[in-house]
Amino acid sequence: MRDATDGDDAPGAPGDGAVDTAPERTGGPPDAPGGLPGGLTRGSPRPGGPGVRGPEQPAAGEQTADGGIELRAVRRRVRLALVLSQILGGLGVSTAVALAAVLAEDIGGSEAVAGLASTSSVIGTALLSLPCAALMARRGRRVGLTSAYAVAAVGGLVVVTGAALRNFPLLLIGMTAFGASNTASLQARFAAADLAEPRHRARAISTVVWATTVGAVLGPNIAGPAGRSVAGLGVPETAGPFLWGTAVFLIAGGLLHVLLRPDPLLTARALARAAADGGRQPSGDGGDRQSDEPGGGRQADEPGGGRQADEDGGGRSLRAGLAAVTASASARVALAATAGSHTVMVSVMVMTPVDLGGHGAGVELIGLVLSGHIAGMYAFSPVLGWLADRIGRFSVILVGAGLLGCATALAGTADGNHAQSAAGLFLLGLGWSAGLVAGSALLTDSVPQQARAAVQGFSDLIMNSAAGVGGALSGLVVAQAGYGWLNLLAAALLIPVTALTVTVAVRR
């Protein structure tokens, strides 16, 4: 099985040493002809050496290309900004979601509507995926991510207002906008891949996924103090975490606005244009090498040359993104892996507390099982990212499918064995992480640079829409047939994903 990092069947999909991993020269505004993001002048002099101006300077022994800022420094800055924002975003989401169902039941007046709060949030995440991706395609990651957190902050205020007025429809509208926080969190993993070397791309994605662990673990533990903080304000205590979430999202957005410079997506595009114009592909270790792609100075993924495709904007449209997925079998595998893994995980996870409660588990035990599930989702993502870079994306996708299959077998046959349920939920999170990390890396590998933002937004739309449907239907399945049948049906979803992955891998 050939490693997915070696390229793809889509025309011009980057392999090792692709142009988007080059050491960069920052210079000029993004829209300036031939300019690179960052606000610095191309080849500007500096004391002690040519070509760098500004506070960020290469360390001794680090190379630069064509007198520009060394790309490794930019990667470190981008990674720091994304990791910090993920910690804050995870904190804001988990603090509020911990009491979302309780708040919805209180305001809605019935246990039957308690799940609509989380469902509205998932719908909001899916609906906002495409607008966020379109904004990123035009303006870059920084504008897209900060806008998503701004929408989520507004949503948090609307939730608090709806709770204060005891207006259930207004609360659900707020929850839908609150879902933009997950849109930002999911899109951040692709921002981590923009400037990563192809052989390290999965690890870059997994680092950002892992950062969510910190906030996800801390959030539920501060939900109580957050609720008590609004005492005397005429707001239900269960709405307090949403007020805190609003503040956290504003901080996360402000941090990205300040630190996510230069913009990783705009920088990657500028480097691709520069390499296409110069006919050389920087190697990612500070040196340049002549392009191996057909056509010499043009990028193979951009017929007619990288600059023209970027200037007319056609490669960044959502239609072009869909066309890129259609043209690449590996991109279709990536889409199936992320959507399938997410749907299986959500469908089983949302009904597990109900099953545990029906078998006598208390709130503390349910919380412990879900904590193990969250640990499986995030804590081991760096290991899975390393494996995806080491043994290949397809192999880790298949490992993820196997883990999810084992998880459904354990959870579906637990029948009151709480230790078995806990093991199943842990593997459910681990399998999801494998599918998400490897699938996201494969998707980025498989499509041209100019179409990536659109394709990634389309991927998140499909992934969250499928999971939303799965989560909504899971309650009906459990009510009519039982929790065991839910796990069996979830496992059946893995069959086409596995078959497609094996078929495409063998043909490669």
Side-chain angles (χ1 to χ4, degrees):
M1 186 181 299
R2 186 161 66 91
D3 195 317
T5 60
D6 290 336
D8 189 57
D9 52 357
D16 285 350
V19 293
D20 60 335
T21 67
E24 72 164 302
R25 298 172 294 169
T26 60
D31 298 330
L36 294 173
L40 302 178
T41 303
R42 187 187 299 270
S44 301
R46 67 170 172 86
V52 179
R53 185 171 56 138
E56 192 81 67
Q57 298 182 8
E62 291 184 338
Q63 295 177 314
T64 61
D66 299 322
I69 288 181
E70 207 278 337
L71 182 56
R72 280 172 289 186
V74 178
R75 286 185 184 131
R76 287 193 294 269
R77 185 181 179 92
V78 168
R79 182 168 59 246
L80 174 64
L82 293 174
V83 165
L84 291 177
S85 69
Q86 286 293 92
I87 292 173
L88 291 171
L91 181 66
V93 171
S94 61
T95 301
V97 169
L99 296 177
V102 179
L103 175 63
E105 181 180 356
D106 176 32
I107 303 303
S110 170
E111 185 178 305
V113 300
L116 290 181
S118 296
T119 300
S120 297
S121 180
V122 172
I123 291 173
T125 301
L127 291 178
L128 291 165
S129 295
L130 285 183
C132 184
L135 184 59
M136 289 182 186
R138 292 193 302 270
R139 303 288 301 278
R141 300 291 187 191
R142 184 175 64 254
V143 174
L145 292 175
T146 54
S147 297
Y149 276 124
V151 171
V154 172
L157 291 177
V158 173
V159 169
V160 173
T161 303
L165 299 176
R166 305 198 67 80
N167 186 320
F168 189 66
L170 185 61
L171 184 143
L172 294 184
I173 292 172
M175 285 300 304
T176 302
F178 196 81
S181 57
N182 278 324
T183 301
S185 178
L186 289 170
Q187 285 291 310
R189 75 191 193 277
F190 291 123
D194 286 332
L195 293 173
E197 295 178 84
R199 65 180 181 271
H200 296 151
R201 189 169 281 150
R203 271 172 279 186
I205 291 172
S206 67
T207 299
V208 172
V209 173
W210 171 86
T212 311
T213 310
V214 180
V217 170
L218 290 177
N221 295 308
I222 64 173
R228 291 190 292 272
S229 69
V230 298
L233 299 180
V235 177
E237 285 194 10
T238 47
F242 288 92
L243 193 60
W244 281 36
T246 293
V248 170
F249 294 153
L250 290 175
I251 295 172
L255 185 148
L256 287 170
H257 181 73
V258 171
L259 292 184
L260 202 60
R261 297 173 184 272
D263 188 282
L265 180 59
L266 299 183
T267 301
R269 286 179 181 163
L271 291 169
R273 287 198 303 270
D277 289 346
R280 298 180 66 82
Q281 286 190 349
S283 64
D285 59 359
D288 287 347
R289 64 168 177 254
Q290 190 68 31
S291 172
D292 295 325
E293 297 290 347
R298 289 182 177 181
Q299 261 190 282
D301 63 359
E302 296 174 11
R307 183 180 297 283
Q308 177 158 357
D310 188 47
E311 287 175 352
D312 64 24
R316 301 198 298 266
S317 70
L318 295 177
R319 181 177 297 177
L322 180 59
V325 172
T326 303
S328 171
S330 291
R332 295 195 294 274
V333 170
L335 195 63
T338 53
S341 299
H342 198 52
T343 303
V344 171
M345 186 275 291
V346 170
S347 299
V348 174
M349 183 270 294
V350 296
M351 295 309 299
T352 297
V354 176
D355 180 70
L356 289 171
H359 286 94
V363 174
E364 293 81 5
L365 180 57
I366 293 174
L368 184 62
V369 171
L370 292 180
S371 294
H373 172 65
I374 292 172
M377 288 176 67
Y378 300 117
F380 298 92
S381 56
V383 176
L384 294 168
W386 176 82
L387 280 175
D389 286 333
R390 184 75 175 176
I391 67 176
R393 324 292 198 220
F394 288 89
S395 298
V396 175
I397 287 172
L398 292 174
V399 168
L403 289 170
L404 289 170
C406 291
T408 56
L410 286 171
T413 60
D415 196 26
N417 185 329
H418 300 323
Q420 184 173 326
S421 294
L425 264 288
F426 173 78
L427 291 180
L428 188 73
L430 196 62
W432 172 87
S433 184
L436 183 75
V437 170
S440 299
L442 180 60
L443 186 69
T444 303
D445 293 339
S446 303
V447 297
Q449 170 62 246
Q450 298 305 322
R452 282 180 185 168
V455 169
Q456 291 157 353
F458 178 72
S459 169
D460 281 355
L461 170 66
I462 297 299
M463 182 177 80
N464 286 291
S465 297
V469 172
L473 294 178
S474 61
L476 296 176
V477 172
V478 170
Q480 296 298 320
Y483 183 68
W485 275 99
L486 172 65
N487 280 271
L488 182 62
L489 293 174
L493 294 177
L494 300 170
I495 296 174
V497 174
T498 303
L500 178 62
T501 303
V502 171
T503 300
V504 174
V506 169
R507 289 178 179 176
R508 292 167 60 85

